Amino acid sequence: MTISSPPLTPARDPGPRAPTQAAWDAMTPTAQEAAARALPTWVPHEETGGGMDGQEHQRARNAFESTLQEYAATTGQVMFVGGEFAAYFPGEPRVQPDVFVVPGAEQMPLRHSWVVSKERAAPSFVLELLVLGHRAKDLQDNVVRYAELGIREYFVADFRQRRLRAWRLADSAIRMYTPVVPQLGRIHSEVLGLDLKLEGGFVRLYHGNARLLDPQEITEALRDELNDALMLRQDAVERAADAETRAMSEATARADAEARAALEVTARADAETRAALEATARADAEARTSQEAKARADAEAELAHLRALLESMKGK
């Protein structure tokens, strides 16, 4: 099924146009730079069918853009991801998609507008986020306009109806979109090589079964990992401190036990010394007693001998 080309509604002044490719090629580099600078870098609200849809729109747009930029940087893909500023196709009035992607174009330097002739590359993927804005612009006018500009894929996240829609050029030579049918709630983007799914207030990106995290989610995950690491480190420090305290207590207990043992050994040695001294004293006392007894015995014997000798002398 293809989309026919109804007139754009509501009718409005298309605004300034970029030079045609032939006119651009005929310019000098200086003239080309001047022509690019002369193109307005923003689109008035009346030309977009309404202003911004508030913070819900801004949050969803920023999350999608930053997630895709992070994915491209991580995987080493060269891909410009931007939006909310004017894009100029050769000879065409400006457009201002919420998000557009230009594969093969560098993310830097920062641009104020995207001029296809100057960049030599055109957006091939566009995402519009429909919150409170002009539904006809996103679901009718742009389906025709972006196909005519040759943008390969066009996605619309309709937050009011909780529905993700997509169209794709079946043939680049035939500038008419064919709707892309969702598969299990997802729509595959051939340009991005990723699946898109509307979840809550966000357009989420999937690589296979893995959902890509936006930078805020990555930051929160890293913060959680850091907190876990700090807690593990604190636990390790506390365990090490407890182990050191226990080791010090055990060492102190061992030193106390050794000191008590040394004191007991000293006490036993002192007791043995005292016992040896007492034994020596007893032996000395016994020896003195024995000597005194012997001396008395010798004295008595001598006295008896003298008495006997005296008696014998008396008989003569």
Side-chain angles (χ1 to χ4, degrees):
M1 172 179 153
T2 57
I3 303 297
S4 60
S5 302
L8 299 181
T9 55
R12 55 181 177 268
D13 182 359
R17 293 174 179 266
T20 64
Q21 192 62 49
W24 181 271
D25 292 340
M27 295 179 187
T28 65
T30 302
Q32 289 175 346
E33 188 63 30
R37 284 199 305 269
L39 293 171
T41 60
W42 62 284
V43 179
H45 291 171
E46 59 269 18
E47 291 187 23
T48 64
M52 285 286 291
D53 284 331
Q55 288 185 313
E56 182 180 0
H57 179 282
Q58 185 179 18
R59 184 184 64 170
R61 198 206 75 83
N62 291 345
F64 183 88
E65 179 183 75
S66 57
T67 301
L68 191 53
Q69 288 175 346
E70 182 68 22
Y71 170 75
T74 301
T75 57
Q77 298 186 50
V78 179
M79 175 190 300
F80 176 83
V81 184
E84 288 195 332
F85 59 83
Y88 290 92
F89 287 74
E92 294 291 336
R94 58 197 171 189
V95 293
Q96 183 172 301
D98 288 330
V99 180
F100 66 87
V101 177
V102 187
E106 297 287 349
Q107 191 67 38
M108 300 298 288
L110 299 176
R111 283 95 164 171
H112 298 292
S113 63
W114 188 274
V115 181
V116 172
S117 297
K118 177 183 177 181
E119 301 285 351
R120 299 183 180 180
S124 57
F125 172 95
V126 162
L127 170 66
E128 295 285 7
L129 303 168
L130 182 54
V131 180
L132 299 174
H134 198 293
R135 299 181 62 82
K137 175 184 75 71
D138 288 336
L139 299 177
Q140 297 177 26
D141 297 358
N142 285 343
V143 175
V144 176
R145 181 77 186 283
Y146 290 154
E148 291 174 345
L149 293 176
I151 297 172
R152 183 179 173 189
E153 291 180 338
Y154 173 43
F155 281 69
V156 176
D158 187 346
F159 288 99
R160 272 197 286 175
Q161 294 191 0
R162 316 307 307 163
R163 181 179 177 186
L164 182 66
R165 309 165 191 256
W167 296 265
R168 182 179 296 129
L169 290 178
D171 186 342
S172 59
I174 303 175
R175 301 291 179 90
M176 296 181 68
Y177 277 138
T178 299
V180 182
V181 179
Q183 299 293 328
L184 300 177
R186 302 184 189 178
I187 301 180
H188 182 71
S189 167
E190 294 180 355
V191 174
L192 305 181
L194 301 169
D195 292 344
L196 281 71
K197 183 180 181 181
L198 193 60
E199 294 181 356
F202 298 93
V203 180
R204 297 302 190 183
L205 290 162
Y206 283 82
H207 185 277
N209 291 325
R211 182 170 74 81
L212 306 185
L213 301 180
D214 63 46
Q216 182 176 351
E217 291 176 310
I218 294 174
T219 299
E220 291 174 354
L222 291 175
R223 185 183 298 113
D224 291 341
E225 290 181 8
L226 177 60
N227 288 336
D228 291 343
L230 290 174
M231 291 180 65
L232 289 174
R233 181 179 180 276
Q234 183 63 29
D235 289 343
V237 169
E238 291 176 356
R239 287 195 298 272
D242 291 342
E244 184 176 357
T245 300
R246 286 195 300 272
M248 292 179 63
S249 298
E250 292 171 358
T252 302
R254 284 195 300 271
D256 291 343
E258 292 171 358
R260 286 194 299 272
L263 290 174
E264 291 173 358
V265 169
T266 300
R268 284 195 299 272
D270 291 344
E272 291 172 358
T273 299
R274 286 194 299 271
L277 291 173
E278 291 172 356
T280 300
R282 284 195 300 272
D284 291 344
E286 291 173 356
R288 285 193 301 271
T289 300
S290 177
Q291 289 174 356
E292 291 174 354
K294 183 178 179 299
R296 283 195 300 272
D298 290 344
E300 289 175 355
E302 181 64 23
L303 181 60
H305 174 68
L306 291 175
R307 285 175 179 171
L309 182 59
L310 181 59
E311 289 296 327
S312 65
M313 289 178 62
K314 287 179 177 182
K316 292 180 179 182

